[in-house]
């Protein structure tokens, strides 16, 4: 009523709001200080890492600048980088020439000596000169030829003479290893098929003679390869002084028109024998002989069109013909 005291009351909603405000949590000052210290430590670590990386980058730039300066220096002078040369363990050029020659002499064959010369050239090794001013290979080849290592018993072989600047001792040695060559061609329709004169081709009645290979005694065997045609192979008396005296198109040791010329070239080496030429006709298998007078003869054996082997036995006075190691006939 008027003039009296009025009580003030809160509504339920206002009461609940007040309770919530009285129970709200409050942040302490200790937690805030701990978070600030953590941030400062991480920042310091990052700054230290950046400083380290910056220092490393500066060192790399300095090294690159130094290398760039060296490169420009060498490019400007056009000089190659220094190369270290390792000396060989053994310097064979200091060995005695006679000792080296003796060791190399065990090679012996022309092919082996040729390979040695090529090897020395490839390694740029100067071969020592001998007393005759010959290279190592030439001196060994000369010794082998002069020793007669490749001589054939019972045969007299004439080799090409050594001529300085024209013929080498190595080529003479090669010739001594395979001495049977057709060095004389008779007739107009014949020529050599290779430089070594071991093969011929003909398109007429012409003859090739291995005059530098003279068989005097003992047993001798040779094999001929027939590639085409109808060749006649055989043996004949040595005639170093043969002079036909006129151009002759066709030559055969069994032509009666040439018998007088052949007999005129007779030497004391012929002896008293009456068989001066023997031949084998491969296509029909006929073996025949002649004394260049009125007497001649022959036998029929077996034909051969590929390889013909001939065995001359001067001790027994026989000539046999073979095909594939099988004897076809003998006279």
């Amino acid at each position: 009523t008027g003039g009296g005291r009025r009580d003030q009351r809160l509504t339920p909603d206002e009461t609940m709001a007040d309770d919530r405000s009285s129970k709200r949590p409050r942040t302490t000052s200790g937690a805030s200080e701990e978070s600030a210290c953590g941030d400062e430590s991480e920042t310091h670590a990052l700054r230290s890492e950046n400083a380290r990386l910056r220092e490393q980058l500066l060192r790399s730039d300095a090294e690159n600048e130094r290398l760039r300066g060296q490169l420009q220096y060498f490019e400007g002078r056009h000089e190659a980088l220094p190369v270290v040369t390792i000396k060989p363990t053994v310097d064979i050029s200091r060995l005695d020439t006679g000792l080296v020659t003796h060791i190399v002499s065990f090679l012996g064959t022309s092919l082996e000596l040729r390979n040695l010369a090529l090897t020395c050239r490839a390694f740029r090794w100067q071969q020592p000169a001998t007393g005759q001013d010959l290279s190592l290979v030439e001196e060994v080849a000369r010794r082998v030829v002069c020793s007669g290592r490749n001589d054939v018993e019972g045969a007299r072989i004439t080799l090409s003479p050594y001529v300085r600047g024209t013929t080498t001792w190595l080529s003479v040695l090669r010739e001594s290893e395979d001495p049977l060559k057709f060095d004389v061609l008779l007739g107009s329709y014949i020529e050599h098929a290779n430089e070594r004169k071991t093969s011929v081709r003909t398109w007429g009645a012409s003859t090739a003679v291995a005059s530098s290979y003279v068989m005097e005694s003992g047993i001798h065997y040779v094999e001929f390869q027939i590639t085409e045609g109808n060749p006649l192979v055989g043996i004949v008396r040595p005639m170093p002084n043969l002079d036909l005296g006129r151009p002759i198109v066709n030559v055969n040791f069994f032509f009666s028109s040439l018998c007088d010329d052949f007999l005129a070239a007779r030497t004391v080496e012929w002896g008293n024998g009456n068989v001066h030429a023997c031949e084998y006709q491969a296509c029909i298998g006929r073996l025949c002989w002649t004394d260049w007078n009125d007497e001649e003869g022959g036998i029929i054996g077996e034909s051969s069109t590929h390889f013909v082997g001939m065995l001359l036995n001067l001790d027994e006075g026989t000539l046999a013909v073979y095909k594939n190691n099988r004897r076809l006939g003998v006279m």
Side-chain angles (χ1 to χ4, degrees), residues 27-42:
T27 301
T28 64
S29 61
S32 298
E33 293 177 358
E34 182 179 354
S35 176
C37 292
D39 293 341
E40 290 179 0
S41 299
E42 184 176 357

Side-chain angles (χ1 to χ4, degrees), residues 135-154:
S135 68
L136 174 64
V137 170
E138 278 289 275
E139 172 61 18
V140 174
R142 184 192 68 82
R143 292 187 181 187
V144 174
V145 172
C146 296
S147 68
R149 181 188 303 180
N150 296 322
D151 290 351
V152 179
E153 184 178 358

Side-chain angles (χ1 to χ4, degrees), residues 14 74 143 188 296:
E14 291 176 345
F74 285 115
R143 292 187 181 187
S188 302
E296 63 179 33

Side-chain angles (χ1 to χ4, degrees), residues 299-327:
I299 59 174
I300 299 297
E302 183 178 335
S303 63
S304 178
T305 57
H306 297 289
F307 292 92
V308 175
M310 305 195 78
L311 180 66
L312 175 65
N313 190 331
L314 291 173
D315 297 334
E316 298 181 359
T318 60
L319 177 66
V321 179
Y322 289 81
K323 173 184 178 182
N324 297 330
N325 297 325
R326 182 170 60 89
R327 193 171 70 178

Side-chain angles (χ1 to χ4, degrees), residues 174-240:
R174 180 71 181 93
E175 185 179 339
S176 70
E177 295 170 347
D178 191 11
L180 195 61
K181 62 179 182 179
F182 299 112
D183 55 329
V184 175
L185 302 182
L186 302 174
S188 302
Y189 304 109
I190 190 171
E191 65 181 8
H192 290 111
N194 56 26
E195 294 183 357
R196 298 193 59 206
K197 300 181 180 180
T198 58
S199 177
V200 295
R201 64 172 66 95
T202 178
W203 51 97
S206 300
T207 301
V209 183
S211 65
S212 61
Y213 194 99
V214 179
M215 296 167 287
E216 299 175 327
S217 63
I219 300 175
H220 306 270
Y221 179 82
V222 65
E223 191 172 78
F224 299 92
Q225 180 182 6
I226 302 174
T227 56
E228 60 180 341
N230 177 29
L232 310 176
V233 295
I235 59 174
V236 67
R237 291 287 191 183
M239 293 179 285

